[in-house]
């Protein structure tokens, strides 16, 4: 009986905090993250949670403001990137729940297929450590390069062991990659920057990351906050049939793929 009363008290306390209007500040890049968050805003409001979606175009900043406590969570990154940031900056961020994958793809406005790349072609890749490694792994999977044995997600251009076409790599801020397409022979672009630029991985990509990608986009929070009722409510709202249907309808060409 005591356990039952204790559980009821906890539940009522959580409900009361929501009823009083719990504010949940979540940072996100514009698409698809902020768009998906806004889809569940009313669902959370019905639970007494005021979801405030704060947009950032530079995803590097999102972890800084999360660690500093300026926001309660962010939705823009995958686990390897979060772990890299934790290690590099001594942050304390954790995964509260996985939502979707945005497949990386190699795009070009100059060639129509992989076999059309000429010697010494220039390929633009993201310049942040985790996504640079991800891009190089994609190029290896495409058969354009080979990395040193044992090289993983932290690969850099120094780890390229075989480069038959003598490809040149241009390391660019991820947000700027779509704009570089006219100036390079190809570019490996993050999904959240490809989509606003009108690029579809399945339709426009010369080579697309497989569906088994480990780069699941997550709700990230500071360690210890992942069990907060409002965070769990957010994750539950995002891992819903409503969101799944929205993603499948809005991104029918596989630009965004649900993982729940």
């Amino acid at each position: 009986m005591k356990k039952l009363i204790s559980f009821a008290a906890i539940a009522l306390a959580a409900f009361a905090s929501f009823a009083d209007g719990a504010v949940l500040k979540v940072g996100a890049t514009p698409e698809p993250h902020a768009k998906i968050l806004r889809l569940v805003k009313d669902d959370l409001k019905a639970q007494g949670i005021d979801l405030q979606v704060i947009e950032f175009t530079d995803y590097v900043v999102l972890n800084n403001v999360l660690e500093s406590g300026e926001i309660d969570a962010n939705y823009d990154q995958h686990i390897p990137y979060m772990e890299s940031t934790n290690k590099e900056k001594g942050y304390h961020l954790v995964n509260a729940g996985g939502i979707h994958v945005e497949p990386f793809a190699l795009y070009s406005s100059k060639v129509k297929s992989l076999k059309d790349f000429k010697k010494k072609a220039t390929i633009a890749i993201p310049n942040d450590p985790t996504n640079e490694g991800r891009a190089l792994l994609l190029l290896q999977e495409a058969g354009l390069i080979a990395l040193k044995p044992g090289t993983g997600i932290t690969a850099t251009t120094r780890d390229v062991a075989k480069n038959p076409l003598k490809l040149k790599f241009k390391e660019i801020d991820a947000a700027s990659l779509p704009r570089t397409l006219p100036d390079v022979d190809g570019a490996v672009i993050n999904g959240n920057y490809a989509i606003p630029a009108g690029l579809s991985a399945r339709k426009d990509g010369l080579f697309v990351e497989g569906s088994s990608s480990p780069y699941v986009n997550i709700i990230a929070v500071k360690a210890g906050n992942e069990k907060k009722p409002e965070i769990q409510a957010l994750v539950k709202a995002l891992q819903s049939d409503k969101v799944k249907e929205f993603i499948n309808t809005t991104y029918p060409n596989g630009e965004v793929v649900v993982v729940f």
Side-chain angles (χ1 to χ4, degrees):
M1 179 65 73
K2 286 183 179 178
K3 286 184 179 179
L4 182 61
I5 293 172
S6 176
F7 176 80
I10 292 171
L12 284 171
F15 178 79
S17 67
F18 291 170
D20 290 339
V23 175
L24 188 61
K25 296 180 180 178
V26 182
T29 44
E31 191 169 6
H33 306 88
K35 185 179 287 187
I36 294 171
L37 284 169
R38 291 194 179 93
L39 183 69
V40 302
K41 189 174 175 67
D42 287 343
D43 300 311
L44 291 174
K45 186 177 181 180
Q47 300 177 52
I49 303 171
D50 178 14
L51 174 61
Q52 298 182 4
V53 182
I54 305 167
E55 290 193 16
F56 293 78
T57 56
D58 182 356
Y59 60 67
V60 175
V61 177
L62 274 161
N63 280 345
N64 299 340
V65 295
L66 178 56
E67 178 69 19
S68 68
E70 296 172 62
I71 58 176
D72 302 302
N74 68 35
Y75 178 32
D76 77 300
Q77 66 188 311
H78 47 66
I79 294 172
Y81 182 82
M82 181 189 71
E83 291 177 342
S84 174
T85 303
N86 282 343
K87 184 176 180 180
E88 178 188 350
K89 298 187 175 182
Y91 286 178
H92 311 84
L93 310 182
V94 298
N95 169 24
I99 312 301
H100 74 269
V101 170
E102 295 164 30
F104 255 32
L106 171 62
Y107 299 92
S108 176
S109 60
K110 296 182 179 179
V111 303
K112 299 296 183 183
S113 68
L114 294 175
K115 62 182 177 57
D116 294 331
F117 281 115
K118 297 179 180 179
K119 285 205 169 185
K120 297 185 179 180
T122 299
I123 307 294
I125 59 177
N127 66 358
D128 63 89
T130 306
N131 285 312
E132 177 176 352
R134 185 181 180 185
L136 292 171
L137 288 169
L138 178 72
L139 295 176
Q140 175 175 251
E141 190 180 352
L144 293 173
I145 62 171
L147 298 169
K148 295 174 184 176
T151 303
I153 61 173
T154 58
T156 70
T157 54
R158 294 188 297 274
D159 296 309
V160 177
K162 294 181 181 179
N163 187 358
L165 292 177
K166 295 183 172 21
L167 297 174
K168 298 178 181 178
F169 301 103
K170 193 170 185 180
E171 297 166 292
I172 301 288
D173 175 70
S176 303
L177 283 166
R179 297 194 295 273
T180 69
L181 274 176
D183 305 315
V184 296
D185 299 292
V188 181
I189 304 177
N190 310 48
N192 56 310
Y193 293 124
I195 295 168
L199 296 170
S200 163
R202 302 298 177 195
K203 289 171 59 179
D204 305 311
L206 300 182
F207 192 83
V208 183
E209 197 172 48
S211 58
S212 60
S213 168
Y215 297 93
V216 176
N217 279 223
I218 61 171
I219 294 296
V221 298
K222 287 194 72 172
N225 292 340
E226 63 272 24
K227 297 298 183 183
K228 283 189 172 182
E230 56 266 40
I231 295 296
Q232 292 188 330
L234 171 64
V235 172
K236 184 177 180 180
L238 292 173
Q239 293 176 340
S240 64
D241 289 340
K242 176 181 179 178
V243 169
K244 181 181 291 186
E245 183 179 354
F246 172 80
I247 288 176
N248 291 339
T249 302
T250 308
Y251 307 103
N253 296 305
E255 302 96 328
V256 181
V257 181
V258 296
V259 298
F260 52 85

